[in-house]
Amino acid sequence: MQDKEDRFPARFFVVLSVVLAICGVLSFYIDHAVSSQLAEPPHEFRYVGGDLKKLVALAEVFGHGTGVIMVVLAVFALDLANRWKVGLLLGTAFGAGLMANVVKFFGVARYRPHAFDFSLPIWDSFYQWFPFISWLSQAELRQSALQSFPSGHSATAAGLCVGLCFLYPHARWYFLLVAALACFQRVVFRMHFPSDVFLGAALGMSTATVLLTYGRLPDLVVWAESKIRKTKPTG
């Protein structure tokens, strides 16, 4: 796995995470205009139809837990050399998604665009800080309509993208494109504001990069592979 670590563009993803975070902060000023105009309620994209609309809708799978499992199974079935390293994909995708859910739970509750009254200022989309304090006493906090910030799908898609780039760095741009489509789907179907998506992707990408470069995830995968194959770990 050392060769892949040498080719993994960690610095690229760190820089991209910073760029996405900056775009996320700036997007607070366009959230209202974009999300109020892109789609008709509840989840229909206004300006695109036909096969392009289907492509955008299907891209959600890349950021969904079930989709992650399907990708992992495909790698396991098709890439015999890396089949026991699919733990990297599980760790980066679900680790990134978990971080987004931690922020949702401990950080701030925010209305999703399809549940928000756009006659109000965009800052009113933030319902309550530190929702975990009132999680049990306020039933609305446990509903999906108040779990917009940040986008868990975007974080998961970004984490999966980073994991795939670690295994297959030559296809980096393809994985980035699919992840971008998954993020785009969340905005145009009124599930998230642009800022939710940018910051979710930044969080997911940075989490996955840290897991692969500074964390112990690759070592844990090598250890698990050695146990499965009953061989001594190498590298």
Side-chain angles (χ1 to χ4, degrees), residues 24-42:
V25 173
L26 295 177
S27 292
F28 284 122
Y29 297 98
I30 64 169
D31 277 349
H32 196 289
V34 171
S35 293
S36 64
Q37 294 297 320
L38 270 179
E40 294 285 1

Side-chain angles (χ1 to χ4, degrees), residues 11-173:
R11 182 176 300 179
F12 169 82
F13 287 112
V14 170
V15 172
L16 184 55
S17 297
V18 173
V19 172
L20 289 171
I22 293 172
C23 290
V25 173
L26 295 177
S27 292
F28 284 122
Y29 297 98
I30 64 169
D31 277 349
H32 196 289
V34 171
S35 293
S36 64
Q37 294 297 320
L38 270 179
E40 294 285 1
H43 311 302
E44 289 297 317
F45 189 24
R46 177 184 294 173
Y47 300 112
V48 171
D51 290 338
L52 181 56
K53 177 183 175 181
K54 292 179 181 178
L55 174 63
V56 174
L58 290 172
E60 178 192 1
V61 174
F62 199 73
H64 191 277
T66 303
V68 171
I69 296 297
M70 296 304 294
V71 170
V72 167
L73 289 176
V75 171
F76 186 84
L78 298 174
D79 188 356
L80 298 182
N82 287 311
R83 63 163 34 184
W84 298 114
K85 296 180 176 63
V86 294
L88 290 170
L89 304 181
L90 293 172
T92 55
F94 290 127
L98 177 62
M99 284 300 296
N101 287 329
V102 167
V103 174
K104 288 176 190 281
F105 184 68
F106 290 101
V108 59
R110 189 185 194 188
Y111 284 105
R112 295 184 187 272
H114 67 77
F116 180 61
D117 180 0
F118 281 96
S119 66
L120 300 174
I122 194 61
W123 307 111
D124 287 351
S125 64
F126 292 95
Y127 178 77
Q128 181 175 311
W129 292 97
F130 313 118
F132 73 96
I133 296 176
S134 307
W135 191 263
L136 296 178
S137 61
Q138 295 187 40
E140 60 269 24
L141 291 175
R142 301 191 293 274
Q143 298 175 1
S144 174
L146 280 172
Q147 297 176 14
S148 186
F149 182 85
S151 169
H153 276 68
S154 299
T156 301
L160 179 59
C161 171
V162 173
L164 287 168
C165 289
F166 186 88
L167 291 180
Y168 311 108
H170 56 281
R172 175 176 63 184
W173 298 108

